Amino acid sequence: FGSPVPSGLQLPCQRLAERDGTDLLGLDFYDVGDGTLTFAYATPFPDLTLGGDPFIQALLRVLQTNFTA
């Protein structure tokens, strides 16, 4: 969801998320102007609206599955 992660950043992003230990981690990068992405910041409180309705629906399914009474 959100912008696609370039293949060269997928594994480092996954490792950072695993080391952080949070259930959800938002990572932001900026384009330095030549297509190269540079890490900006990580947050356990990402902007969930960036993934649009498909992300919200997927999140809802996960929450309903994992938090049934």
Side-chain angles (χ1 to χ4, degrees):
F1 300 96
S3 298
V5 177
S7 60
L9 289 177
Q10 290 175 358
L11 186 57
C13 288
Q14 185 177 4
R15 286 183 178 159
L16 180 59
E18 290 169 355
R19 286 183 178 198
D20 184 62
T22 61
D23 292 328
L24 185 63
L25 185 66
L27 302 172
D28 273 15
F29 298 86
Y30 64 91
D31 186 336
V32 297
D34 62 358
T36 302
L37 295 178
T38 299
F39 178 77
Y41 65 90
T43 177
F45 305 106
D47 181 356
L48 301 179
T49 63
L50 295 176
D53 190 56
F55 174 76
I56 299 300
Q57 294 301 316
L59 180 61
L60 178 61
R61 286 191 299 276
V62 168
L63 293 174
Q64 289 174 331
T65 300
N66 293 324
F67 296 104
T68 57

